[in-house]
């Protein structure tokens, strides 16, 4: 089934609102999820709606959270999220970080006690749209074997970065520190497709191509990915006084309790470091120079981070966003959730 961005947005918003969030919050959740599907990040779009709806309905995402932002210094602060929606908390916290960066050059906001916030690109792009540069990292539930280990310890701990240019292009680098995000396994599962044997291991620690047999994911680039995961967990967990490593709550363990997750946004105002116009022109120059590079065998050109997602968005605007049938059927139904996710193991089996 193919839907326009507007149709998809409306369906997601309605479902999240019916699950129990206010209209304002449901709209933000839908903004972030629709953004993900529109960019082709299907692992973090509509595929997640039923999970969020179940968690909201069971109280594990606070439906009327008491959000509180406390400035702890001119350039930093803590956003207490009261286990509310991660999408809403991360959006509001980014606005606070941007405000501080505009005034002081840097704004760093740690979000405490939030729920899953989805595709981090959405939040860093908020800053880049206003001529700021942003970095965001967050923890996720332990499902990754550290380099040299046979048991999961870290999450897929993503890192996102965005920067503006002097033209309509924007750099949006956004990745899980695993070979693939867990959501990609979930997406393969929903489409009943195999996964490459480099993504994950089964319960014996052996590489698997069956998305239903995944027991742990693998970090990117061995020890380097393991190190990045550790860095993310320290910045978004330990630094904020939150559970870390294997103590981070599981997405599917108990949907009636808050997840107590952390995320850190750091926003830089280029105007406090260099000349803003020159900065943006240099980013544009960098992108132009990448395009001038002779492509390697098998490539037609060098793509910069975020470029392909934006091309997909343009294509989807013409053709519509393709939704898996099961997800569409759920979205148009009256069902809030079918009790699919609670007390499943971390891989929702
Ligand atoms: P990915 O592997 O699809 O892309 C990673 C980065 O590489 C992107 O910046 C993309 O623009 C760039 N890229 C991909 N192919 C490229 C190419 N051919 N040429 C140039 N650049 C290219 O992303 P991944 O790792 O699968 O992450 C997907 C999403 O999952 C992200 O939005 C991330 O924030 C989200 N995530 C969220 C978590 C959470 O707990 N909230 C946990 C883990 C991931």
């Amino acid at each position: 089934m193919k839907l326009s961005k507007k149709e998809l947005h409306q369906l997601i918003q309605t479902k999240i609102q019916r699950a129990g969030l206010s209209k304002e919050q449901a709209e933000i959740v839908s903004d972030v999820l629709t953004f993900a599907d529109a960019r082709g990040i299907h692992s973090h779009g509509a595929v997640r709606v039923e999970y969020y709806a179940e968690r909201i309905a069971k109280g594990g995402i606070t439906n009327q959270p008491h959000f509180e932002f406390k400035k702890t210094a001119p350039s930093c602060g803590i956003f207490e999220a009261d286990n509310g929606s991660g999408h809403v908390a991360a959006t509001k916290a980014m606005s606070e970080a941007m405000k501080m960066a505009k005034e002081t050059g840097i704004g760093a906001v740690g979000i405490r006690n939030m729920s899953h916030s989805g595709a981090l690109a959405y939040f860093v792009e908020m800053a880049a749209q206003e001529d700021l540069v942003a970095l965001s990292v967050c923890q996720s539930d332990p499902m990754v074997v550290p380099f040299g280990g046979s048991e999961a310890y870290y999450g897929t701990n993503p890192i996102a970065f965005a920067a503006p240019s002097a033209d309509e292009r924007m750099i949006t680098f956004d990745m899980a520190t695993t070979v693939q995000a867990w959501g990609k396994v979930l997406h393969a599962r929903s489409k009943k497709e195999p996964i490459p044997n480099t993504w994950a291991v089964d319960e014996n620690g052996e590489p698997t191509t069956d998305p239903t047999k995944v027991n742990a994911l693998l970090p990117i680039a061995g020890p380097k990915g393991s190190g990045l995961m550790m860095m993310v967990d320290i910045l978004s967990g330990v630094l904020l006084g939150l559970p870390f490593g294997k103590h981070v709550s599981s997405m599917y363990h108990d949907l009636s309790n808050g997840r107590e997750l952390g995320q850190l946004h750091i926003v830089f105002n280029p105007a406090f470091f260099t000349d803003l116009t020159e900065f943006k022109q240099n980013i544009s120059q960098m992108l132009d120079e990448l395009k001038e590079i002779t492509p390697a065998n098998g490539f037609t050109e060098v793509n910069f981070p975020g470029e392909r997602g934006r091309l997909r968005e343009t294509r989807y605007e013409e053709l519509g966003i393709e939704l898996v049938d099961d997800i569409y059927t759920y979205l148009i139904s009256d069902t809030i959730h079918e009790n699919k996710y609670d007390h499943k193991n971390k891989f929702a089996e």
Side-chain angles (χ1 to χ4, degrees):
M1 174 55 72
K2 285 190 172 149
L3 295 179
S4 70
K5 197 171 167 186
K6 199 169 160 208
E7 288 166 328
L8 181 60
H9 191 285
Q10 189 56 53
L11 285 176
I12 296 177
Q13 181 177 332
T14 304
K15 193 66 91 177
I16 294 294
Q17 212 175 326
R18 288 193 54 221
L21 292 198
S22 65
K23 183 168 183 283
E24 185 222 346
Q25 291 190 78
E27 196 171 343
I28 297 173
V29 174
S30 187
D31 285 351
V32 183
L33 299 190
T34 310
F35 164 91
D37 272 322
R39 291 288 173 89
I41 314 171
H42 298 298
S43 55
H44 286 75
V47 71
R48 305 273 181 149
V49 176
E50 188 169 356
Y51 160 74
Y52 295 130
E54 186 173 337
R55 189 157 210 124
I56 294 163
K58 292 183 171 176
I61 291 178
T62 314
N63 57 12
Q64 289 181 305
H66 177 63
F67 288 142
E68 198 178 11
F69 176 63
K70 282 192 203 129
K71 231 173 167 178
T72 51
S75 294
C76 48
I78 293 289
F79 190 98
E80 285 288 349
D82 191 23
N83 281 311
S85 153
H87 310 90
V88 180
T91 301
K92 291 185 182 288
M94 178 53 84
S95 298
E96 299 293 350
M98 288 164 59
K99 224 182 284 170
M100 289 190 294
K102 284 178 186 173
E103 285 164 12
T104 68
I106 287 193
V109 176
I111 311 164
R112 282 171 43 89
N113 298 315
M114 66 192 295
S115 209
H116 186 251
S117 66
L120 302 197
Y122 181 89
F123 313 112
V124 287
E125 284 195 11
M126 285 173 64
Q129 273 152 12
E130 297 194 24
D131 283 349
L132 301 163
V133 173
L135 191 67
S136 187
V137 294
C138 76
Q139 334 171 274
S140 74
D141 33 335
M143 53 164 70
V144 188
V145 183
F147 183 68
S150 63
E151 290 163 27
Y153 185 78
Y154 291 118
T156 54
N157 300 1
I159 301 174
F161 170 85
S165 75
D167 48 71
E168 73 293 344
R169 295 171 297 178
M170 182 191 283
I171 297 174
T172 312
F173 177 58
D174 177 24
M175 64 154 206
T177 45
T178 38
V179 178
Q180 280 299 350
W182 163 239
K184 294 262 169 78
V185 178
L186 203 61
H187 187 59
R189 212 186 257 182
S190 76
K191 293 192 89 173
K192 300 186 172 50
E193 286 173 356
I195 56 170
N197 69 358
T198 49
W199 290 13
V201 291
D202 63 17
E203 58 180 359
N204 303 313
E206 296 295 329
T208 181
T209 56
D210 182 345
T212 65
K213 297 227 165 86
V214 170
N215 194 43
L217 300 175
L218 288 162
I220 50 169
K224 300 178 188 181
S226 260
L228 285 174
M229 272 167 195
M230 174 188 264
M231 179 191 85
V232 170
D233 200 19
I234 291 172
L235 290 176
S236 57
V238 184
L239 185 71
L240 307 180
L242 293 171
F244 54 88
K246 67 178 183 180
H247 310 286
V248 173
S249 66
S250 164
M251 184 170 270
Y252 304 111
H253 179 248
D254 177 1
L255 272 68
S256 57
N257 265 319
R259 292 208 55 205
E260 301 177 344
L261 296 175
Q263 182 159 350
L264 181 73
H265 297 319
I266 306 177
V267 180
F268 304 87
N269 185 346
F272 280 66
F273 294 83
T274 183
D275 179 75
L276 177 63
T277 307
E278 198 182 317
F279 171 80
K280 294 201 303 179
Q281 278 166 351
N282 285 340
I283 296 283
S284 290
Q285 182 183 333
M286 183 187 281
L287 300 181
D288 292 341
E289 287 171 357
L290 286 172
K291 290 290 165 201
E292 285 160 12
I293 287 177
T294 310
N297 269 345
F299 291 83
T300 50
E301 61 175 347
V302 173
N303 287 124
F304 60 86
E307 184 182 12
R308 289 155 63 98
R310 256 179 225 97
L311 286 173
R312 244 176 252 133
E313 185 165 22
T314 311
R315 206 170 62 234
Y316 288 158
E317 263 157 32
E318 287 163 23
L319 305 175
I321 300 171
E322 175 94 48
L323 269 199
V324 173
D325 287 347
D326 289 357
I327 298 172
Y328 177 70
T329 307
Y330 161 71
L331 286 178
I332 59 165
S333 73
D334 287 334
T335 310
I336 304 289
H337 68 87
E338 285 185 347
N339 219 18
K340 269 195 205 158
Y341 296 103
D342 209 357
H343 286 97
K344 300 288 190 291
N345 74 20
K346 59 183 177 290
F347 294 107
E349 286 162 340

